[in-house]
Amino acid sequence: MERRARVAVIGAGPAGLCAARHILSRLEAFDPPVIYEMTDHLGGTWYYEERVGKYENGYPVQSSMYRDLRTNLPKEIMMFPDFPFDDRLPSFMHHSSVQQYLEKYCQRYDIARHIKFNTVVEKVKPVSMETETGGAVTWEVISRSTCGDQKTQTFDSVFICNGHYSDPHLPYIPGIEHFKGKVLHSHAYRYPEPFANKSVVVLGARASGVDISIELAKVNAQVILSHNRPTISLPPPLGIRQASAVVGVLEDGSLQFQDGSVTQADVLLFCTGYNFNFPFLCPSDLGLDVQDLFVTPLYKYLLPPGFPSIFFIGICKIICPFIHFDCQVKFALAVLEGSVELPTQEEMEKEVQREVQRKQDTGVQMKHLLNLENDQWDYYLDLARVGRFTPPQPVLESLFKEVSIQRQKDPQKYRQINYRLIDATQWELLEAPTEQ
Ligand code: FAD
């Protein structure tokens, strides 16, 4: 590119900060980025606030963080590859340590002065442009500040880092209108005390469902964890019952489970994940199909084949998010710099289709197509090989697998374990457990 490329970054959560950090390290090729952040703070998910519902401007509160959350990944595999957490922290930290870490990251790479706080991106649209070498696309970004000023700026590329933990996914339950108790989603859960001595049915047994059930049981709520997964090993003294999925609500307000049993409850708490939501885009203009739990086609889970200068960072699930963002951002910048030659649009579309088909053939449900889990490591190797950067060290994969095993064995106590990375391939257990 003859002149330096102008890049917009939407969101100052971990993904947006990571994008900014790498753009700022390549000022020979890029102008400093413009980072739009709708709130008055950085950190995204990691900025805890008690407030739930909506901000004054009508936008939903972004963070789903709860007061006592400790990370579900150890700091050794949560960190950005070149920026370790403080050694003195336990492996599984309180969320406030992650927020502090992100603030330090921001200072270290001098990112904050490029963030436009209190500025919502309202629209992003591709604009065709004629150049000497043919057609090209630039991006018009329309933003609005809290005081109402609207501004349009034009960029060569956009990094979409708006997160996907703020639009609750609420599966429809027939008869739900008959339920007489309180219905809420984990997005609006902050701490367990209001649920003390209440009967709560928690729907969904991924990370939040299990953690919140444990928190509630500790304040003597009578918890039923309702899910379709194999039975989860939970400590018997907590008294958490497990049940099959809730399939309906009867006219008397009781909840009916898949096995036919019924129960009354004071609270129905959905821990059923979040929808993708890009309210500032017209997906079909980009050839994209955005569903609640799936977005396609994105080549390498990252870019629409017809528009290879807009990047969706971090739409995959069951990953090490910070490592994931780092690899995706490096790959995206290599594309923009021209050091990665992408296949044709048609070839990219076919590759995405093949990958979707491969997963569907092995029985993966639509809502799980973006779960990478153990496949993430080959994905990073692939991005690194094509983008010509150093891939994550093998020790990270090994520790990720170990933590998954420990979490499954004991979802209450796995966070007491501390780890240390020895070298590129080995980790060890540290003796002193963390009291909680
Ligand atoms: P976010 O952190 O959501 O940041 C998105 C940012 O974009 C926000 O600041 C938002 O205000 C801004 N934004 C959105 N729309 C606009 C707009 N239109 N204009 C301007 N700004 C906008 N990950 C781990 O690694 N370890 C864990 O232990 C862990 N625990 C988690 C627990 C919970 C309860 C949740 C919800 C998530 C957890 N995660 C964990 C995943 C976590 O979300 C990621 O670590 C990470 O925060 C995602 O970063 P992000 O930048 O993609 O999105």
PDB file of all heavy atoms in Angstrom, residues 395-429:
ATOM      1  N   VAL A 395       3.180 -25.677  24.955  1.00  0.00           N
ATOM      2  CA  VAL A 395       2.835 -25.805  26.375  1.00  0.00           C
ATOM      3  C   VAL A 395       1.422 -25.259  26.653  1.00  0.00           C
ATOM      4  O   VAL A 395       0.724 -25.726  27.554  1.00  0.00           O
ATOM      5  CB  VAL A 395       3.882 -25.076  27.260  1.00  0.00           C
ATOM      6  CG1 VAL A 395       3.906 -23.573  26.997  1.00  0.00           C
ATOM      7  CG2 VAL A 395       3.637 -25.327  28.734  1.00  0.00           C
ATOM      8  N   LEU A 396       0.985 -24.301  25.862  1.00  0.00           N
ATOM      9  CA  LEU A 396      -0.323 -23.691  26.105  1.00  0.00           C
ATOM     10  C   LEU A 396      -1.433 -24.693  25.805  1.00  0.00           C
ATOM     11  O   LEU A 396      -2.406 -24.811  26.548  1.00  0.00           O
ATOM     12  CB  LEU A 396      -0.479 -22.414  25.268  1.00  0.00           C
ATOM     13  CG  LEU A 396       0.631 -21.378  25.484  1.00  0.00           C
ATOM     14  CD1 LEU A 396       0.426 -20.179  24.560  1.00  0.00           C
ATOM     15  CD2 LEU A 396       0.682 -20.912  26.932  1.00  0.00           C
ATOM     16  N   GLU A 397      -1.252 -25.425  24.713  1.00  0.00           N
ATOM     17  CA  GLU A 397      -2.229 -26.461  24.359  1.00  0.00           C
ATOM     18  C   GLU A 397      -2.284 -27.527  25.453  1.00  0.00           C
ATOM     19  O   GLU A 397      -3.357 -27.936  25.898  1.00  0.00           O
ATOM     20  CB  GLU A 397      -1.838 -27.096  23.016  1.00  0.00           C
ATOM     21  CG  GLU A 397      -2.701 -28.281  22.669  1.00  0.00           C
ATOM     22  CD  GLU A 397      -2.423 -28.843  21.275  1.00  0.00           C
ATOM     23  OE1 GLU A 397      -1.527 -28.313  20.582  1.00  0.00           O
ATOM     24  OE2 GLU A 397      -3.096 -29.810  20.897  1.00  0.00           O
ATOM     25  N   SER A 398      -1.109 -27.925  25.884  1.00  0.00           N
ATOM     26  CA  SER A 398      -1.043 -28.981  26.894  1.00  0.00           C
ATOM     27  C   SER A 398      -1.733 -28.526  28.191  1.00  0.00           C
ATOM     28  O   SER A 398      -2.514 -29.269  28.792  1.00  0.00           O
ATOM     29  CB  SER A 398       0.437 -29.322  27.089  1.00  0.00           C
ATOM     30  OG  SER A 398       0.652 -29.899  28.311  1.00  0.00           O
ATOM     31  N   LEU A 399      -1.499 -27.301  28.595  1.00  0.00           N
ATOM     32  CA  LEU A 399      -2.116 -26.803  29.832  1.00  0.00           C
ATOM     33  C   LEU A 399      -3.633 -26.598  29.658  1.00  0.00           C
ATOM     34  O   LEU A 399      -4.421 -26.886  30.567  1.00  0.00           O
ATOM     35  CB  LEU A 399      -1.426 -25.500  30.279  1.00  0.00           C
ATOM     36  CG  LEU A 399      -1.862 -24.929  31.628  1.00  0.00           C
ATOM     37  CD1 LEU A 399      -1.856 -25.976  32.734  1.00  0.00           C
ATOM     38  CD2 LEU A 399      -0.962 -23.754  32.029  1.00  0.00           C
ATOM     39  N   PHE A 400      -4.051 -26.135  28.479  1.00  0.00           N
ATOM     40  CA  PHE A 400      -5.490 -25.967  28.208  1.00  0.00           C
ATOM     41  C   PHE A 400      -6.208 -27.310  28.400  1.00  0.00           C
ATOM     42  O   PHE A 400      -7.263 -27.389  29.032  1.00  0.00           O
ATOM     43  CB  PHE A 400      -5.688 -25.443  26.774  1.00  0.00           C
ATOM     44  CG  PHE A 400      -7.124 -25.290  26.370  1.00  0.00           C
ATOM     45  CD1 PHE A 400      -7.851 -24.171  26.745  1.00  0.00           C
ATOM     46  CD2 PHE A 400      -7.766 -26.265  25.604  1.00  0.00           C
ATOM     47  CE1 PHE A 400      -9.193 -24.016  26.369  1.00  0.00           C
ATOM     48  CE2 PHE A 400      -9.096 -26.124  25.228  1.00  0.00           C
ATOM     49  CZ  PHE A 400      -9.806 -24.990  25.609  1.00  0.00           C
ATOM     50  N   LYS A 401      -5.599 -28.380  27.865  1.00  0.00           N
ATOM     51  CA  LYS A 401      -6.235 -29.701  27.962  1.00  0.00           C
ATOM     52  C   LYS A 401      -6.285 -30.160  29.424  1.00  0.00           C
ATOM     53  O   LYS A 401      -7.291 -30.707  29.883  1.00  0.00           O
ATOM     54  CB  LYS A 401      -5.486 -30.706  27.103  1.00  0.00           C
ATOM     55  CG  LYS A 401      -5.709 -30.432  25.622  1.00  0.00           C
ATOM     56  CD  LYS A 401      -5.024 -31.432  24.733  1.00  0.00           C
ATOM     57  CE  LYS A 401      -5.416 -31.176  23.283  1.00  0.00           C
ATOM     58  NZ  LYS A 401      -4.498 -31.770  22.324  1.00  0.00           N
ATOM     59  N   GLU A 402      -5.188 -29.908  30.147  1.00  0.00           N
ATOM     60  CA  GLU A 402      -5.151 -30.302  31.562  1.00  0.00           C
ATOM     61  C   GLU A 402      -6.248 -29.576  32.358  1.00  0.00           C
ATOM     62  O   GLU A 402      -6.956 -30.175  33.158  1.00  0.00           O
ATOM     63  CB  GLU A 402      -3.758 -29.956  32.134  1.00  0.00           C
ATOM     64  CG  GLU A 402      -3.640 -30.042  33.641  1.00  0.00           C
ATOM     65  CD  GLU A 402      -3.813 -31.450  34.190  1.00  0.00           C
ATOM     66  OE1 GLU A 402      -3.775 -32.409  33.387  1.00  0.00           O
ATOM     67  OE2 GLU A 402      -4.004 -31.585  35.419  1.00  0.00           O
ATOM     68  N   VAL A 403      -6.385 -28.283  32.109  1.00  0.00           N
ATOM     69  CA  VAL A 403      -7.381 -27.505  32.861  1.00  0.00           C
ATOM     70  C   VAL A 403      -8.791 -28.012  32.535  1.00  0.00           C
ATOM     71  O   VAL A 403      -9.637 -28.122  33.423  1.00  0.00           O
ATOM     72  CB  VAL A 403      -7.244 -25.993  32.561  1.00  0.00           C
ATOM     73  CG1 VAL A 403      -8.393 -25.205  33.169  1.00  0.00           C
ATOM     74  CG2 VAL A 403      -5.918 -25.468  33.092  1.00  0.00           C
ATOM     75  N   SER A 404      -9.032 -28.360  31.275  1.00  0.00           N
ATOM     76  CA  SER A 404     -10.362 -28.878  30.910  1.00  0.00           C
ATOM     77  C   SER A 404     -10.655 -30.154  31.695  1.00  0.00           C
ATOM     78  O   SER A 404     -11.775 -30.356  32.176  1.00  0.00           O
ATOM     79  CB  SER A 404     -10.455 -29.198  29.419  1.00  0.00           C
ATOM     80  OG  SER A 404     -10.092 -28.082  28.678  1.00  0.00           O
ATOM     81  N   ILE A 405      -9.643 -31.001  31.846  1.00  0.00           N
ATOM     82  CA  ILE A 405      -9.839 -32.259  32.589  1.00  0.00           C
ATOM     83  C   ILE A 405     -10.143 -31.952  34.058  1.00  0.00           C
ATOM     84  O   ILE A 405     -11.082 -32.479  34.642  1.00  0.00           O
ATOM     85  CB  ILE A 405      -8.568 -33.157  32.484  1.00  0.00           C
ATOM     86  CG1 ILE A 405      -8.383 -33.627  31.040  1.00  0.00           C
ATOM     87  CG2 ILE A 405      -8.656 -34.351  33.438  1.00  0.00           C
ATOM     88  CD1 ILE A 405      -7.044 -34.285  30.759  1.00  0.00           C
ATOM     89  N   GLN A 406      -9.347 -31.054  34.642  1.00  0.00           N
ATOM     90  CA  GLN A 406      -9.539 -30.729  36.064  1.00  0.00           C
ATOM     91  C   GLN A 406     -10.900 -30.076  36.307  1.00  0.00           C
ATOM     92  O   GLN A 406     -11.556 -30.330  37.302  1.00  0.00           O
ATOM     93  CB  GLN A 406      -8.428 -29.789  36.570  1.00  0.00           C
ATOM     94  CG  GLN A 406      -7.051 -30.401  36.570  1.00  0.00           C
ATOM     95  CD  GLN A 406      -6.959 -31.689  37.383  1.00  0.00           C
ATOM     96  OE1 GLN A 406      -7.718 -31.921  38.322  1.00  0.00           O
ATOM     97  NE2 GLN A 406      -6.056 -32.571  36.984  1.00  0.00           N
ATOM     98  N   ARG A 407     -11.317 -29.212  35.368  1.00  0.00           N
ATOM     99  CA  ARG A 407     -12.599 -28.513  35.517  1.00  0.00           C
ATOM    100  C   ARG A 407     -13.753 -29.519  35.499  1.00  0.00           C
ATOM    101  O   ARG A 407     -14.695 -29.422  36.265  1.00  0.00           O
ATOM    102  CB  ARG A 407     -12.766 -27.490  34.390  1.00  0.00           C
ATOM    103  CG  ARG A 407     -13.965 -26.563  34.588  1.00  0.00           C
ATOM    104  CD  ARG A 407     -14.206 -25.662  33.416  1.00  0.00           C
ATOM    105  NE  ARG A 407     -13.091 -24.798  33.110  1.00  0.00           N
ATOM    106  CZ  ARG A 407     -12.408 -24.802  31.978  1.00  0.00           C
ATOM    107  NH1 ARG A 407     -12.742 -25.645  31.009  1.00  0.00           N
ATOM    108  NH2 ARG A 407     -11.400 -23.982  31.772  1.00  0.00           N
ATOM    109  N   GLN A 408     -13.606 -30.510  34.616  1.00  0.00           N
ATOM    110  CA  GLN A 408     -14.651 -31.530  34.518  1.00  0.00           C
ATOM    111  C   GLN A 408     -14.682 -32.401  35.772  1.00  0.00           C
ATOM    112  O   GLN A 408     -15.741 -32.744  36.271  1.00  0.00           O
ATOM    113  CB  GLN A 408     -14.370 -32.408  33.311  1.00  0.00           C
ATOM    114  CG  GLN A 408     -15.611 -32.658  32.510  1.00  0.00           C
ATOM    115  CD  GLN A 408     -15.273 -33.374  31.233  1.00  0.00           C
ATOM    116  OE1 GLN A 408     -14.104 -33.552  30.855  1.00  0.00           O
ATOM    117  NE2 GLN A 408     -16.302 -33.802  30.544  1.00  0.00           N
ATOM    118  N   LYS A 409     -13.494 -32.692  36.289  1.00  0.00           N
ATOM    119  CA  LYS A 409     -13.405 -33.539  37.487  1.00  0.00           C
ATOM    120  C   LYS A 409     -14.046 -32.864  38.683  1.00  0.00           C
ATOM    121  O   LYS A 409     -14.772 -33.466  39.436  1.00  0.00           O
ATOM    122  CB  LYS A 409     -11.917 -33.762  37.821  1.00  0.00           C
ATOM    123  CG  LYS A 409     -11.416 -35.133  37.483  1.00  0.00           C
ATOM    124  CD  LYS A 409     -10.160 -35.380  38.292  1.00  0.00           C
ATOM    125  CE  LYS A 409      -9.094 -36.031  37.466  1.00  0.00           C
ATOM    126  NZ  LYS A 409      -7.762 -35.879  37.982  1.00  0.00           N
ATOM    127  N   ASP A 410     -13.738 -31.581  38.869  1.00  0.00           N
ATOM    128  CA  ASP A 410     -14.253 -30.888  40.044  1.00  0.00           C
ATOM    129  C   ASP A 410     -14.480 -29.400  39.747  1.00  0.00           C
ATOM    130  O   ASP A 410     -13.597 -28.574  39.955  1.00  0.00           O
ATOM    131  CB  ASP A 410     -13.279 -31.040  41.219  1.00  0.00           C
ATOM    132  CG  ASP A 410     -13.932 -30.582  42.515  1.00  0.00           C
ATOM    133  OD1 ASP A 410     -14.876 -29.760  42.453  1.00  0.00           O
ATOM    134  OD2 ASP A 410     -13.516 -31.046  43.577  1.00  0.00           O
ATOM    135  N   PRO A 411     -15.698 -29.087  39.271  1.00  0.00           N
ATOM    136  CA  PRO A 411     -15.959 -27.694  38.863  1.00  0.00           C
ATOM    137  C   PRO A 411     -15.911 -26.711  40.019  1.00  0.00           C
ATOM    138  O   PRO A 411     -15.884 -25.508  39.799  1.00  0.00           O
ATOM    139  CB  PRO A 411     -17.371 -27.743  38.288  1.00  0.00           C
ATOM    140  CG  PRO A 411     -17.817 -29.136  38.311  1.00  0.00           C
ATOM    141  CD  PRO A 411     -16.845 -29.967  39.074  1.00  0.00           C
ATOM    142  N   GLN A 412     -15.881 -27.203  41.257  1.00  0.00           N
ATOM    143  CA  GLN A 412     -15.778 -26.257  42.364  1.00  0.00           C
ATOM    144  C   GLN A 412     -14.333 -25.977  42.732  1.00  0.00           C
ATOM    145  O   GLN A 412     -13.953 -24.838  43.002  1.00  0.00           O
ATOM    146  CB  GLN A 412     -16.521 -26.778  43.596  1.00  0.00           C
ATOM    147  CG  GLN A 412     -16.635 -25.698  44.648  1.00  0.00           C
ATOM    148  CD  GLN A 412     -17.141 -26.204  45.989  1.00  0.00           C
ATOM    149  OE1 GLN A 412     -17.200 -27.405  46.243  1.00  0.00           O
ATOM    150  NE2 GLN A 412     -17.504 -25.295  46.858  1.00  0.00           N
ATOM    151  N   LYS A 413     -13.486 -27.024  42.702  1.00  0.00           N
ATOM    152  CA  LYS A 413     -12.145 -26.862  43.275  1.00  0.00           C
ATOM    153  C   LYS A 413     -11.026 -26.665  42.257  1.00  0.00           C
ATOM    154  O   LYS A 413      -9.880 -26.413  42.641  1.00  0.00           O
ATOM    155  CB  LYS A 413     -11.824 -28.097  44.130  1.00  0.00           C
ATOM    156  CG  LYS A 413     -12.732 -28.236  45.348  1.00  0.00           C
ATOM    157  CD  LYS A 413     -11.930 -28.667  46.568  1.00  0.00           C
ATOM    158  CE  LYS A 413     -12.771 -28.691  47.819  1.00  0.00           C
ATOM    159  NZ  LYS A 413     -13.225 -30.028  48.161  1.00  0.00           N
ATOM    160  N   TYR A 414     -11.337 -26.803  40.957  1.00  0.00           N
ATOM    161  CA  TYR A 414     -10.225 -26.758  40.005  1.00  0.00           C
ATOM    162  C   TYR A 414      -9.478 -25.426  40.061  1.00  0.00           C
ATOM    163  O   TYR A 414      -8.287 -25.347  39.744  1.00  0.00           O
ATOM    164  CB  TYR A 414     -10.711 -27.065  38.581  1.00  0.00           C
ATOM    165  CG  TYR A 414     -11.426 -25.924  37.879  1.00  0.00           C
ATOM    166  CD1 TYR A 414     -10.740 -25.072  37.024  1.00  0.00           C
ATOM    167  CD2 TYR A 414     -12.791 -25.708  38.053  1.00  0.00           C
ATOM    168  CE1 TYR A 414     -11.400 -24.030  36.374  1.00  0.00           C
ATOM    169  CE2 TYR A 414     -13.446 -24.666  37.412  1.00  0.00           C
ATOM    170  CZ  TYR A 414     -12.748 -23.839  36.582  1.00  0.00           C
ATOM    171  OH  TYR A 414     -13.384 -22.801  35.940  1.00  0.00           O
ATOM    172  N   ARG A 415     -10.150 -24.399  40.543  1.00  0.00           N
ATOM    173  CA  ARG A 415      -9.513 -23.075  40.581  1.00  0.00           C
ATOM    174  C   ARG A 415      -8.513 -22.947  41.743  1.00  0.00           C
ATOM    175  O   ARG A 415      -7.851 -21.935  41.866  1.00  0.00           O
ATOM    176  CB  ARG A 415     -10.563 -21.978  40.706  1.00  0.00           C
ATOM    177  CG  ARG A 415     -11.410 -21.800  39.461  1.00  0.00           C
ATOM    178  CD  ARG A 415     -12.309 -20.597  39.642  1.00  0.00           C
ATOM    179  NE  ARG A 415     -13.029 -20.218  38.454  1.00  0.00           N
ATOM    180  CZ  ARG A 415     -14.277 -20.595  38.172  1.00  0.00           C
ATOM    181  NH1 ARG A 415     -14.931 -21.391  38.992  1.00  0.00           N
ATOM    182  NH2 ARG A 415     -14.871 -20.178  37.063  1.00  0.00           N
ATOM    183  N   GLN A 416      -8.441 -23.959  42.586  1.00  0.00           N
ATOM    184  CA  GLN A 416      -7.463 -23.874  43.684  1.00  0.00           C
ATOM    185  C   GLN A 416      -6.065 -24.283  43.215  1.00  0.00           C
ATOM    186  O   GLN A 416      -5.093 -24.114  43.940  1.00  0.00           O
ATOM    187  CB  GLN A 416      -7.899 -24.779  44.837  1.00  0.00           C
ATOM    188  CG  GLN A 416      -9.165 -24.264  45.502  1.00  0.00           C
ATOM    189  CD  GLN A 416      -9.644 -25.168  46.619  1.00  0.00           C
ATOM    190  OE1 GLN A 416      -8.997 -26.135  46.976  1.00  0.00           O
ATOM    191  NE2 GLN A 416     -10.797 -24.853  47.166  1.00  0.00           N
ATOM    192  N   ILE A 417      -5.997 -24.864  42.027  1.00  0.00           N
ATOM    193  CA  ILE A 417      -4.696 -25.337  41.528  1.00  0.00           C
ATOM    194  C   ILE A 417      -3.912 -24.159  40.943  1.00  0.00           C
ATOM    195  O   ILE A 417      -4.485 -23.283  40.305  1.00  0.00           O
ATOM    196  CB  ILE A 417      -4.909 -26.423  40.436  1.00  0.00           C
ATOM    197  CG1 ILE A 417      -5.778 -27.548  40.997  1.00  0.00           C
ATOM    198  CG2 ILE A 417      -3.590 -26.948  39.920  1.00  0.00           C
ATOM    199  CD1 ILE A 417      -6.203 -28.574  39.953  1.00  0.00           C
ATOM    200  N   ASN A 418      -2.593 -24.166  41.185  1.00  0.00           N
ATOM    201  CA  ASN A 418      -1.727 -23.154  40.563  1.00  0.00           C
ATOM    202  C   ASN A 418      -0.728 -23.839  39.632  1.00  0.00           C
ATOM    203  O   ASN A 418      -0.200 -24.906  39.953  1.00  0.00           O
ATOM    204  CB  ASN A 418      -0.965 -22.383  41.646  1.00  0.00           C
ATOM    205  CG  ASN A 418      -1.848 -21.327  42.254  1.00  0.00           C
ATOM    206  OD1 ASN A 418      -2.353 -20.455  41.567  1.00  0.00           O
ATOM    207  ND2 ASN A 418      -2.070 -21.419  43.555  1.00  0.00           N
ATOM    208  N   TYR A 419      -0.480 -23.177  38.521  1.00  0.00           N
ATOM    209  CA  TYR A 419       0.427 -23.757  37.520  1.00  0.00           C
ATOM    210  C   TYR A 419       1.601 -22.814  37.281  1.00  0.00           C
ATOM    211  O   TYR A 419       1.537 -21.620  37.572  1.00  0.00           O
ATOM    212  CB  TYR A 419      -0.301 -23.959  36.183  1.00  0.00           C
ATOM    213  CG  TYR A 419      -1.495 -24.877  36.267  1.00  0.00           C
ATOM    214  CD1 TYR A 419      -2.786 -24.361  36.435  1.00  0.00           C
ATOM    215  CD2 TYR A 419      -1.351 -26.256  36.182  1.00  0.00           C
ATOM    216  CE1 TYR A 419      -3.886 -25.203  36.499  1.00  0.00           C
ATOM    217  CE2 TYR A 419      -2.458 -27.101  36.250  1.00  0.00           C
ATOM    218  CZ  TYR A 419      -3.725 -26.570  36.407  1.00  0.00           C
ATOM    219  OH  TYR A 419      -4.803 -27.402  36.478  1.00  0.00           O
ATOM    220  N   ARG A 420       2.632 -23.376  36.679  1.00  0.00           N
ATOM    221  CA  ARG A 420       3.744 -22.537  36.232  1.00  0.00           C
ATOM    222  C   ARG A 420       4.239 -23.094  34.901  1.00  0.00           C
ATOM    223  O   ARG A 420       4.337 -24.326  34.749  1.00  0.00           O
ATOM    224  CB  ARG A 420       4.887 -22.567  37.255  1.00  0.00           C
ATOM    225  CG  ARG A 420       5.971 -21.518  36.977  1.00  0.00           C
ATOM    226  CD  ARG A 420       7.028 -21.527  38.062  1.00  0.00           C
ATOM    227  NE  ARG A 420       7.951 -22.647  37.921  1.00  0.00           N
ATOM    228  CZ  ARG A 420       9.022 -22.641  37.128  1.00  0.00           C
ATOM    229  NH1 ARG A 420       9.332 -21.584  36.417  1.00  0.00           N
ATOM    230  NH2 ARG A 420       9.807 -23.716  37.046  1.00  0.00           N
ATOM    231  N   LEU A 421       4.528 -22.188  33.971  1.00  0.00           N
ATOM    232  CA  LEU A 421       5.082 -22.648  32.700  1.00  0.00           C
ATOM    233  C   LEU A 421       6.594 -22.817  32.894  1.00  0.00           C
ATOM    234  O   LEU A 421       7.265 -21.903  33.400  1.00  0.00           O
ATOM    235  CB  LEU A 421       4.828 -21.637  31.582  1.00  0.00           C
ATOM    236  CG  LEU A 421       3.358 -21.283  31.302  1.00  0.00           C
ATOM    237  CD1 LEU A 421       3.249 -20.322  30.121  1.00  0.00           C
ATOM    238  CD2 LEU A 421       2.518 -22.527  31.037  1.00  0.00           C
ATOM    239  N   ILE A 422       7.118 -23.970  32.510  1.00  0.00           N
ATOM    240  CA  ILE A 422       8.563 -24.195  32.669  1.00  0.00           C
ATOM    241  C   ILE A 422       9.294 -23.739  31.407  1.00  0.00           C
ATOM    242  O   ILE A 422      10.258 -22.982  31.452  1.00  0.00           O
ATOM    243  CB  ILE A 422       8.862 -25.700  32.911  1.00  0.00           C
ATOM    244  CG1 ILE A 422       8.139 -26.176  34.171  1.00  0.00           C
ATOM    245  CG2 ILE A 422      10.367 -25.944  33.007  1.00  0.00           C
ATOM    246  CD1 ILE A 422       8.235 -27.674  34.410  1.00  0.00           C
ATOM    247  N   ASP A 423       8.836 -24.219  30.274  1.00  0.00           N
ATOM    248  CA  ASP A 423       9.446 -23.809  29.004  1.00  0.00           C
ATOM    249  C   ASP A 423       8.394 -23.933  27.900  1.00  0.00           C
ATOM    250  O   ASP A 423       7.193 -24.029  28.192  1.00  0.00           O
ATOM    251  CB  ASP A 423      10.716 -24.631  28.710  1.00  0.00           C
ATOM    252  CG  ASP A 423      10.434 -26.135  28.728  1.00  0.00           C
ATOM    253  OD1 ASP A 423       9.293 -26.518  28.391  1.00  0.00           O
ATOM    254  OD2 ASP A 423      11.325 -26.920  29.080  1.00  0.00           O
ATOM    255  N   ALA A 424       8.824 -23.990  26.657  1.00  0.00           N
ATOM    256  CA  ALA A 424       7.866 -23.961  25.541  1.00  0.00           C
ATOM    257  C   ALA A 424       6.972 -25.191  25.490  1.00  0.00           C
ATOM    258  O   ALA A 424       5.923 -25.185  24.845  1.00  0.00           O
ATOM    259  CB  ALA A 424       8.620 -23.824  24.230  1.00  0.00           C
ATOM    260  N   THR A 425       7.379 -26.267  26.180  1.00  0.00           N
ATOM    261  CA  THR A 425       6.569 -27.484  26.075  1.00  0.00           C
ATOM    262  C   THR A 425       6.056 -28.005  27.411  1.00  0.00           C
ATOM    263  O   THR A 425       5.197 -28.868  27.438  1.00  0.00           O
ATOM    264  CB  THR A 425       7.380 -28.629  25.404  1.00  0.00           C
ATOM    265  OG1 THR A 425       8.563 -28.834  26.185  1.00  0.00           O
ATOM    266  CG2 THR A 425       7.740 -28.296  23.964  1.00  0.00           C
ATOM    267  N   GLN A 426       6.607 -27.485  28.512  1.00  0.00           N
ATOM    268  CA  GLN A 426       6.239 -28.096  29.797  1.00  0.00           C
ATOM    269  C   GLN A 426       5.685 -27.090  30.797  1.00  0.00           C
ATOM    270  O   GLN A 426       6.153 -25.956  30.865  1.00  0.00           O
ATOM    271  CB  GLN A 426       7.478 -28.698  30.455  1.00  0.00           C
ATOM    272  CG  GLN A 426       8.178 -29.734  29.639  1.00  0.00           C
ATOM    273  CD  GLN A 426       9.428 -30.178  30.390  1.00  0.00           C
ATOM    274  OE1 GLN A 426       9.350 -31.040  31.245  1.00  0.00           O
ATOM    275  NE2 GLN A 426      10.553 -29.556  30.090  1.00  0.00           N
ATOM    276  N   TRP A 427       4.741 -27.573  31.602  1.00  0.00           N
ATOM    277  CA  TRP A 427       4.225 -26.797  32.722  1.00  0.00           C
ATOM    278  C   TRP A 427       4.344 -27.659  33.965  1.00  0.00           C
ATOM    279  O   TRP A 427       4.562 -28.871  33.876  1.00  0.00           O
ATOM    280  CB  TRP A 427       2.772 -26.397  32.494  1.00  0.00           C
ATOM    281  CG  TRP A 427       1.866 -27.544  32.147  1.00  0.00           C
ATOM    282  CD1 TRP A 427       1.523 -27.960  30.892  1.00  0.00           C
ATOM    283  CD2 TRP A 427       1.229 -28.455  33.059  1.00  0.00           C
ATOM    284  NE1 TRP A 427       0.715 -29.056  30.956  1.00  0.00           N
ATOM    285  CE2 TRP A 427       0.501 -29.390  32.279  1.00  0.00           C
ATOM    286  CE3 TRP A 427       1.189 -28.574  34.430  1.00  0.00           C
ATOM    287  CZ2 TRP A 427      -0.242 -30.420  32.843  1.00  0.00           C
ATOM    288  CZ3 TRP A 427       0.442 -29.600  35.004  1.00  0.00           C
ATOM    289  CH2 TRP A 427      -0.270 -30.518  34.199  1.00  0.00           C
ATOM    290  N   GLU A 428       4.241 -27.035  35.140  1.00  0.00           N
ATOM    291  CA  GLU A 428       4.245 -27.824  36.374  1.00  0.00           C
ATOM    292  C   GLU A 428       3.196 -27.277  37.335  1.00  0.00           C
ATOM    293  O   GLU A 428       2.740 -26.129  37.197  1.00  0.00           O
ATOM    294  CB  GLU A 428       5.626 -27.802  37.028  1.00  0.00           C
ATOM    295  CG  GLU A 428       6.040 -26.432  37.525  1.00  0.00           C
ATOM    296  CD  GLU A 428       7.396 -26.434  38.219  1.00  0.00           C
ATOM    297  OE1 GLU A 428       7.977 -27.501  38.432  1.00  0.00           O
ATOM    298  OE2 GLU A 428       7.869 -25.323  38.552  1.00  0.00           O
ATOM    299  N   LEU A 429       2.862 -28.122  38.308  1.00  0.00           N
ATOM    300  CA  LEU A 429       1.930 -27.699  39.358  1.00  0.00           C
ATOM    301  C   LEU A 429       2.720 -26.990  40.439  1.00  0.00           C
ATOM    302  O   LEU A 429       3.812 -27.416  40.769  1.00  0.00           O
ATOM    303  CB  LEU A 429       1.293 -28.930  40.003  1.00  0.00           C
ATOM    304  CG  LEU A 429       0.214 -29.646  39.220  1.00  0.00           C
ATOM    305  CD1 LEU A 429      -0.257 -30.859  40.001  1.00  0.00           C
ATOM    306  CD2 LEU A 429      -0.959 -28.703  38.995  1.00  0.00           C
TER     307      LEU A 429
END
